[in-house]
Amino acid sequence: MPAMKIGAAMTLALVIAVFDPSTLRAADAPLTVSQLVEIAIEANPQVKSARYRWDAAAHSIKQTVAPNDPVFTYTNSDSVKSPVGRAALREFNVSESFQFPGKALHQRDQAVRSAEIAHLMLVATIRDVRAATETAYFQLVLDSALAAVNDENLRNLDTVVRVAETAYSGSKVAQTDVISSEFDLAAARQLQRQYETAVANDQTTLNLLLNRPVGSPLSVDRTLKIEALNLSLDVLTDRAYAIRQEILEAALAERNMNTALFLAKMEYLPDFTVAVQYDDYAVPSFAPSSAGGGFQTRDWVGIVGFNMPIFFWLKQNEDVARAKANLQAARSDLALIRIQTAAAVATIFRTAQFAYESTILYRDSLIPLAQQNFRVALTAYQSGKIDFVTLSLVLQREYAARVSYLQAANQFLAGQVSLEQAIGAPLHQ
């Protein structure tokens, strides 16, 4: 759908609506679908939650390359009174553990991709909120149009009632014609109440998506606009491959699984521990002898250690096998999402194209013919050339043509929204 440019006054109204949705009033200028989508993206709690999750994932990247906290140890050794009493030996130890070089870089790559996946989930949430808002808007427009069509049908039925009453008063038709016309009029009035209830429910759904009180009045542009899909199926499929969020997420997940395989293989490599220890001997005889014959009561100790993966067949081998299986699963998921996307785009595109053709047929050909037929039938009934049953069928056909037009338009607009979801972005941008 074409998006109207927002003027300064409308922009201010949209900003106010974002921070205080209840300020939108029915007296404001009618909102277009693009403006409703903009408000929903800013105000919808689901979008806000996805945005916070992306922010949380982004703050996890630096942690992957941060070194481990050093460990300080104090040992009060050989105390004759208590563990905290005077000791024969005091030891001060600081140790630091290190991963094998390169592991942290791979872990950082995984964290970066996880943050990118969180961002794609945000984009997908915005896409779904956009689709839900457009669907609610189109449903409101279509239900309003149905109510308008039924209201016109009420006027036609009222005309039929008056014509039947006039003909009956002149003893030209039976009383059953009057009774049947009054019955049809009463049924149409009840149907009008149903349509009005549907319009009210549509407004509630739209308010919910905009994060506004459900009973708030909402002024929207209810003009039904139908535009053809000018893009080919191949172009739409290629665009879906390039930008659909689920495909990009699956590709990032595959890369993460590939990195996980590298990390699993690096488990065969040792991790290191480096420590520095300072000894203070309170009892000189406990201390090591010095070169001059005395005792060295204070000394330094350096410690270097590393793990030995001697149980690799129970741990590392299984980690590598599991990482390989996860990588193959991720590749299969990516291939599945791609083929599902292509099938969805093709199916929705064909259905939407057929709905568009049906919409144009009813709008430009069948509805004008049905309206002309009703006018001719009404004149023929007044002159006694046709009976009431024929007139009633002609009126029903005219009403059915208008309703069928709206149903076809509904299918086309729903297909257009579904196509945008399947592709991952609006069609017109």
Side-chain angles (χ1 to χ4, degrees), residues 113 116-125 127 244-255 334 337:
R113 296 190 195 105
E116 292 175 357
I117 290 175
H119 179 254
L120 289 172
M121 293 176 65
L122 168 62
V123 176
T125 302
R127 176 203 66 194
R244 179 170 168 81
Q245 290 76 29
E246 285 77 4
I247 292 178
L248 300 179
E249 289 175 20
L252 288 173
E254 179 193 6
R255 294 178 61 187
L334 176 58
I337 292 176

XYZ file of all heavy atoms in Angstrom, residues 113 116-125 127 244-255 334 337:
210
model
N 27.516 -13.743 16.742
C 26.431 -14.302 15.929
C 25.148 -14.454 16.747
O 24.043 -14.258 16.212
C 26.860 -15.650 15.349
C 28.029 -15.553 14.377
C 28.256 -16.859 13.642
N 29.548 -16.854 12.997
C 30.606 -17.530 13.444
N 30.496 -18.278 14.535
N 31.760 -17.478 12.807
N 23.578 -11.208 16.691
C 22.970 -10.971 15.383
C 21.655 -11.740 15.257
O 20.684 -11.236 14.671
C 23.937 -11.386 14.282
C 25.179 -10.495 14.176
C 26.169 -11.010 13.142
O 25.909 -12.085 12.560
O 27.193 -10.339 12.916
N 21.610 -12.946 15.807
C 20.362 -13.716 15.792
C 19.296 -13.006 16.617
O 18.122 -12.935 16.214
C 20.618 -15.140 16.320
C 21.458 -15.943 15.314
C 19.303 -15.860 16.602
C 21.860 -17.315 15.804
N 19.685 -12.453 17.780
C 18.736 -11.696 18.595
C 18.215 -10.478 17.843
O 17.035 -10.118 17.946
C 19.389 -11.277 19.910
N 19.104 -9.850 17.061
C 18.656 -8.707 16.261
C 17.695 -9.149 15.163
O 16.696 -8.466 14.885
C 19.863 -8.000 15.642
C 19.503 -6.837 14.780
N 19.567 -6.886 13.400
C 19.040 -5.603 15.087
C 19.168 -5.736 12.899
N 18.850 -4.935 13.893
N 17.974 -10.281 14.549
C 17.057 -10.798 13.534
C 15.713 -11.168 14.149
O 14.660 -10.993 13.514
C 17.674 -12.015 12.843
C 18.848 -11.731 11.908
C 19.492 -13.037 11.441
C 18.395 -10.908 10.701
N 15.736 -11.652 15.377
C 14.478 -11.947 16.064
C 13.698 -10.656 16.314
O 12.463 -10.638 16.235
C 14.756 -12.672 17.374
C 15.329 -14.074 17.201
S 15.759 -14.884 18.759
C 14.143 -15.037 19.502
N 14.401 -9.568 16.619
C 13.741 -8.267 16.753
C 13.113 -7.851 15.427
O 11.955 -7.402 15.389
C 14.747 -7.222 17.227
C 14.297 -5.761 17.147
C 13.076 -5.524 18.033
C 15.443 -4.827 17.535
N 13.879 -7.998 14.343
C 13.347 -7.628 13.027
C 12.137 -8.499 12.673
O 11.138 -8.015 12.114
C 14.447 -7.759 11.957
C 13.893 -7.466 10.567
C 15.608 -6.819 12.264
N 12.211 -9.787 13.015
C 11.082 -10.677 12.743
C 9.868 -10.286 13.580
O 8.728 -10.361 13.112
C 11.482 -12.128 13.026
N 10.104 -9.873 14.821
C 8.996 -9.423 15.662
C 8.343 -8.176 15.081
O 7.114 -8.055 15.041
C 9.496 -9.143 17.088
O 10.087 -10.327 17.637
C 8.356 -8.704 17.987
N 8.387 -7.374 11.974
C 7.677 -7.847 10.778
C 6.310 -8.425 11.142
O 5.290 -8.129 10.489
C 8.529 -8.914 10.095
C 7.890 -9.587 8.889
C 8.541 -10.946 8.653
N 8.264 -11.858 9.745
C 8.917 -13.016 9.938
N 9.897 -13.357 9.124
N 8.596 -13.804 10.946
N 14.730 -12.933 4.401
C 13.834 -13.559 5.391
C 14.612 -13.863 6.659
O 15.677 -14.512 6.630
C 13.214 -14.823 4.815
C 12.278 -15.529 5.815
C 11.496 -16.632 5.151
N 10.820 -17.492 6.091
C 9.658 -17.208 6.672
N 9.052 -16.071 6.388
N 9.106 -18.053 7.522
N 14.074 -13.426 7.774
C 14.816 -13.489 9.033
C 15.105 -14.933 9.462
O 16.199 -15.235 9.959
C 14.014 -12.779 10.138
C 13.940 -11.273 9.983
C 12.974 -10.830 8.903
O 11.995 -11.510 8.613
N 13.261 -9.678 8.293
N 14.150 -15.824 9.248
C 14.372 -17.211 9.671
C 15.497 -17.874 8.881
O 16.251 -18.696 9.427
C 13.075 -18.010 9.520
C 12.040 -17.739 10.574
C 11.290 -16.433 10.359
O 11.530 -15.772 9.320
O 10.465 -16.070 11.212
N 15.631 -17.521 7.610
C 16.730 -18.073 6.806
C 18.062 -17.540 7.302
O 19.038 -18.292 7.460
C 16.519 -17.734 5.315
C 15.305 -18.491 4.775
C 17.768 -18.078 4.497
C 14.996 -18.191 3.325
N 18.136 -16.236 7.566
C 19.379 -15.651 8.070
C 19.724 -16.203 9.447
O 20.900 -16.445 9.749
C 19.245 -14.132 8.120
C 18.953 -13.437 6.778
C 18.828 -11.929 6.975
C 20.049 -13.759 5.775
N 18.713 -16.401 10.290
C 18.967 -16.992 11.609
C 19.516 -18.402 11.475
O 20.454 -18.789 12.197
C 17.675 -17.006 12.424
C 17.205 -15.643 12.887
C 15.864 -15.709 13.589
O 15.488 -16.817 14.042
O 15.178 -14.675 13.687
N 18.935 -19.190 10.577
C 19.415 -20.561 10.386
C 20.844 -20.573 9.856
O 21.654 -21.432 10.232
C 18.491 -21.312 9.434
N 21.170 -19.620 8.972
C 22.539 -19.546 8.459
C 23.526 -19.194 9.570
O 24.622 -19.778 9.654
C 22.613 -18.511 7.340
N 23.152 -18.264 10.445
C 24.021 -17.914 11.578
C 24.134 -19.083 12.557
O 25.213 -19.331 13.119
C 23.472 -16.677 12.284
C 23.615 -15.352 11.531
C 22.872 -14.250 12.262
C 25.088 -14.982 11.373
N 23.037 -19.793 12.758
C 23.087 -20.959 13.646
C 24.017 -22.037 13.072
O 24.750 -22.699 13.820
C 21.684 -21.518 13.848
N 24.003 -22.202 11.752
C 24.911 -23.162 11.125
C 26.371 -22.757 11.359
O 27.221 -23.598 11.694
C 24.626 -23.253 9.634
C 25.559 -24.212 8.902
C 25.483 -24.081 7.399
O 24.783 -23.171 6.924
O 26.148 -24.868 6.704
N 26.659 -21.470 11.209
C 28.027 -21.006 11.434
C 28.429 -21.183 12.894
O 29.578 -21.520 13.196
C 28.139 -19.540 11.020
C 27.960 -19.304 9.527
C 28.035 -17.831 9.174
N 29.339 -17.263 9.520
C 29.618 -15.964 9.442
N 28.674 -15.111 9.045
N 30.820 -15.527 9.754
N 18.552 -25.287 7.757
C 18.686 -24.198 6.786
C 18.081 -24.597 5.443
O 17.333 -23.826 4.821
C 20.153 -23.813 6.621
C 20.468 -22.752 5.558
C 19.706 -21.456 5.846
C 21.970 -22.484 5.497
N 14.213 -24.645 5.740
C 13.598 -23.318 5.785
C 13.615 -22.675 4.403
O 12.650 -22.019 3.990
C 14.324 -22.432 6.821
C 14.060 -22.967 8.234
C 13.864 -20.985 6.726
C 14.804 -22.229 9.310
